[in-house]
Amino acid sequence: MAIQRTFSIIKPDATKRNLTGQIAAKFEEAGLRIVASKRIQLTLAQAQKFYGVHSERPFFGELCEFMISEPIVVQVLEGEDAIAKNREVMGATNPAEAAEGTIRKEFALSIGENSVHGSDAPETAAEEIAFFFSGLELVG
Ligand code: DAT
Ligand code: MG
């Protein structure tokens, strides 16, 4: 597997509880390098666009309102097999199903307030990185 880049969000439930550093440490411990990072607050239109793939799901409104409720930290993670590795470190979407030692097992409050987002495939990783960062902001 080659070196990849993936896109990560530390979500409002985590920034609100001062968990940014602990979550970033989990990425670094897993061998993922944080090559870009910024703290931002999404507008509703940006949240709706970012999660557009879920627009027909019953939780879409709740998800977008949650994502704009507090600042978030958007990051690009780089490393060997970074997309799958990040999903592994994150744990299952529902924290009740997440494996021991994962971010969601340790920190998530619920299936909705689940502390982190991570890209699920190379195509979505590229799109999501481009949504938030210019090439100049990525420092490998
Ligand atoms: P993931 O974030 O693990 O990629 P996903 O892409 O299926 O999960 O869903 C995106 C986000 O939507 C997820 O992190 C939290 C929210 N979500 C998913 N399923 C939900 C549900 N059944 N109820 C409430 N929120 C949900
Ligand atoms: Mg997803």
Side-chain angles (χ1 to χ4, degrees):
M1 213 355 131
I3 299 290
Q4 289 180 326
R5 281 177 173 170
T6 192
F7 174 73
S8 166
I9 301 179
I10 301 176
K11 292 185 179 182
D13 66 285
T15 60
K16 191 176 185 177
R17 289 177 290 149
N18 267 1
L19 296 172
T20 299
Q22 288 184 69
I23 290 174
K26 293 263 196 200
F27 298 143
E28 293 187 331
E29 281 160 17
L32 294 166
R33 182 178 300 279
I34 300 166
V35 300
S37 184
K38 59 187 173 189
R39 182 175 168 98
I40 60 172
Q41 186 146 12
L42 291 177
T43 64
L44 184 58
Q46 288 168 335
Q48 288 169 335
K49 191 165 178 205
F50 180 76
Y51 274 122
V53 67
H54 296 302
S55 63
E56 302 303 317
R57 310 281 288 274
F59 54 80
F60 182 65
E62 184 190 330
L63 171 62
C64 294
E65 287 298 332
F66 166 62
M67 290 301 293
I68 69 168
S69 65
E70 294 280 335
I72 60 174
V73 175
V74 293
Q75 298 183 313
V76 179
L77 310 178
E78 182 181 273
E80 191 75 22
D81 207 7
I83 296 167
K85 190 177 278 179
N86 179 41
R87 295 292 311 195
E88 206 178 299
V89 176
M90 287 165 61
T93 307
N94 183 350
E97 292 164 11
E100 281 305 323
T102 62
I103 291 168
R104 283 168 165 170
K105 174 73 177 183
E106 208 160 309
F107 302 121
L109 299 175
S110 66
I111 190 167
E113 301 199 11
N114 61 4
S115 304
V116 278
H117 164 85
S119 307
D120 57 12
E123 301 71 35
T124 47
E127 277 172 28
E128 292 173 359
I129 290 169
F131 188 85
F132 287 100
F133 291 98
S134 77
L136 283 174
E137 293 176 294
L138 307 175
V139 185

